[in-house]
Amino acid sequence: LPGVTTFASAIEDSARGMAGRLEPAARAVAIFTALAKLALDFSKSVAETRKDLGVSAVEAVKLEASFKLMSLRSKLIGVTADDLKESFAAARDVLGATRKEALALSESLAATAMRTGQTEAQLTRTLSVMESISDSSREALLAQIETTGQLMQQAGLAPGDIFKDVSDNMEHFAKFAKDGGGNVFKAAAAAKRLGLNMSAVASSTESLLDFESSIDKQLEASMLLGRQINLDKARQLALTGDQAGMMDEILKQVGGEKEFNRLNVIQRQALADSVGVNVEQLSRLVRNNTAAAGTGGTDKSVGLLQRIADNSDSLPSLNRKI
């Protein structure tokens, strides 16, 4: 069918010529569409920033542009523009930072929060208390938090859970933190190892520091158990802010799991009251202490966490070792 073949060839040639003429226009349309989409996405982001942060339209444009640029720089470590925005808001709300200070700090906050497994709000609450008891810069304190998280990981613990626990007990942290807060982080990690949390540590501390009531409960427990309970050292450690040492001293006084299992309900209640926890918390404490001692986990965990309490002034060298 030579006629049909010739006709088909003519159509093919015509189509090629038309495609060549349309190609520049099609490319321009594609570029315009992509730019329009970028502009629309940016406009939406600006609107969200303005609503979330309560700033003017001009400020929102500047901030969103800064967040986009910083997110490109931090993309390799997993920090997004949303993370930076959360950090900016937390720095401004919790730390009282100015717009310029919050913007400069947002990248470090977002990176530290991501590496330590906590939210930006939790991190800034912790940082605000650490600032009140230390003359170190914010960058140095963030480095301390990150180093603490690394040591917790070495001890086989989850840093995010412990930092959240501390953040949820800011009143206790503010009362007893010293050495840049290393003592409270150590206590929180020790409590987590024993199946407790900072609320239990705070309850026990407050109970022991109510001296008259604590001594009465100690005497009652000693009478009911038929053996001497002496919490004088635990009270002294609580007063000096050594929460982890306080917990260790309590463990020495309450005994092991076998001894606890032999106690009746009244004896267990009296023993729990004497150390400022409930019976369920006391049972977890003695059970997990026995398990940790059997595997050698206690010495390893406390030894690693002691480095934070003792080396808060030598963070750069500690980071290099890690």
Side-chain angles (χ1 to χ4, degrees):
L1 301 171
V4 175
T5 303
T6 302
F7 180 69
S9 297
I11 290 176
E12 186 177 20
D13 291 341
S14 177
R16 282 186 187 141
M18 186 176 293
R21 290 191 298 273
L22 288 176
E23 187 176 347
R27 191 182 295 117
V29 169
I31 292 172
F32 177 80
T33 303
L35 290 174
K37 185 178 184 304
L38 285 174
L40 183 61
D41 290 344
F42 186 76
S43 177
K44 288 180 180 177
S45 298
V46 168
E48 289 174 2
T49 298
R50 187 178 183 186
K51 181 176 68 175
D52 294 341
L53 302 180
V55 295
S56 66
V58 174
E59 284 293 305
V61 170
K62 291 179 181 178
L63 288 172
E64 188 61 31
S66 298
F67 294 149
K68 294 292 185 186
L69 289 173
M70 284 191 290
S71 67
L72 290 174
R73 209 167 44 228
S74 307
K75 200 169 185 179
L76 290 177
I77 60 172
V79 173
T80 66
D82 288 339
D83 295 330
L84 293 166
K85 190 185 297 184
E86 290 291 331
S87 297
F88 178 88
R92 206 177 54 168
D93 295 342
V94 180
L95 300 177
T98 64
R99 174 191 169 278
K100 186 176 181 180
E101 290 171 338
L103 194 59
L105 193 60
S106 58
E107 197 167 357
S108 297
L109 282 174
T112 303
M114 186 271 300
R115 292 191 188 108
T116 55
Q118 54 187 319
T119 67
E120 290 78 5
Q122 291 167 355
L123 175 59
T124 48
R125 283 200 298 271
T126 303
L127 183 61
S128 67
V129 175
M130 292 176 72
E131 276 191 311
S132 69
I133 58 170
S134 172
D135 56 1
S136 300
S137 67
R138 284 172 177 169
E139 291 296 336
L141 293 174
L142 287 172
Q144 181 181 343
I145 291 171
E146 194 164 335
T147 300
T148 302
Q150 291 168 340
L151 289 174
M152 288 173 182
Q153 285 183 326
Q154 288 185 20
L157 302 169
D161 293 343
I162 296 172
F163 284 125
K164 181 181 184 301
D165 195 14
V166 172
S167 178
D168 290 343
N169 291 273
M170 276 291 104
E171 178 70 17
H172 181 75
F173 189 21
K175 282 183 180 178
F176 294 97
K178 61 180 184 178
D179 302 325
N183 65 315
V184 178
F185 292 134
K186 179 185 172 186
K192 181 65 69 175
R193 175 175 54 82
L194 295 169
L196 302 177
N197 55 29
M198 281 303 294
S199 294
V201 175
S203 173
S204 186
T205 303
E206 297 291 344
S207 177
L208 288 172
L209 292 180
D210 184 357
F211 297 114
E212 185 176 351
S213 175
S214 178
I215 292 171
D216 286 343
K217 291 175 182 177
Q218 171 187 307
L219 293 173
E220 182 181 353
S222 297
M223 182 183 66
L224 288 171
L225 269 64
R227 65 179 177 87
Q228 184 65 35
I229 301 289
N230 189 342
L231 296 169
D232 290 346
K233 187 175 180 181
R235 278 187 284 270
Q236 181 184 1
L237 292 168
L239 186 62
T240 59
D242 187 355
Q243 315 274 271
M246 178 197 75
M247 296 300 293
D248 286 340
E249 185 60 26
I250 287 174
L251 286 172
K252 292 177 186 177
Q253 296 299 318
V254 299
E257 187 176 11
K258 288 183 179 178
E259 186 176 356
F260 179 79
N261 288 336
R262 288 196 294 266
L263 301 178
N264 62 40
V265 60
I266 297 176
Q267 290 171 323
R268 291 180 184 183
Q269 184 64 62
L271 184 58
D273 289 342
S274 71
V275 296
V277 295
N278 60 43
V279 176
E280 191 269 336
Q281 289 170 331
L282 181 64
S283 66
R284 274 191 285 150
L285 191 151
V286 296
R287 181 182 67 247
N288 291 326
N289 182 52
T290 302
T295 60
T298 302
D299 292 338
K300 180 181 177 183
S301 296
V302 172
L304 281 167
L305 292 165
Q306 185 62 45
R307 291 167 62 192
I308 272 294
D310 294 342
N311 295 280
S312 57
D313 295 331
S314 56
L315 292 172
S317 60
L318 195 56
N319 271 318
R320 282 197 296 274
K321 287 180 184 177
I322 291 171

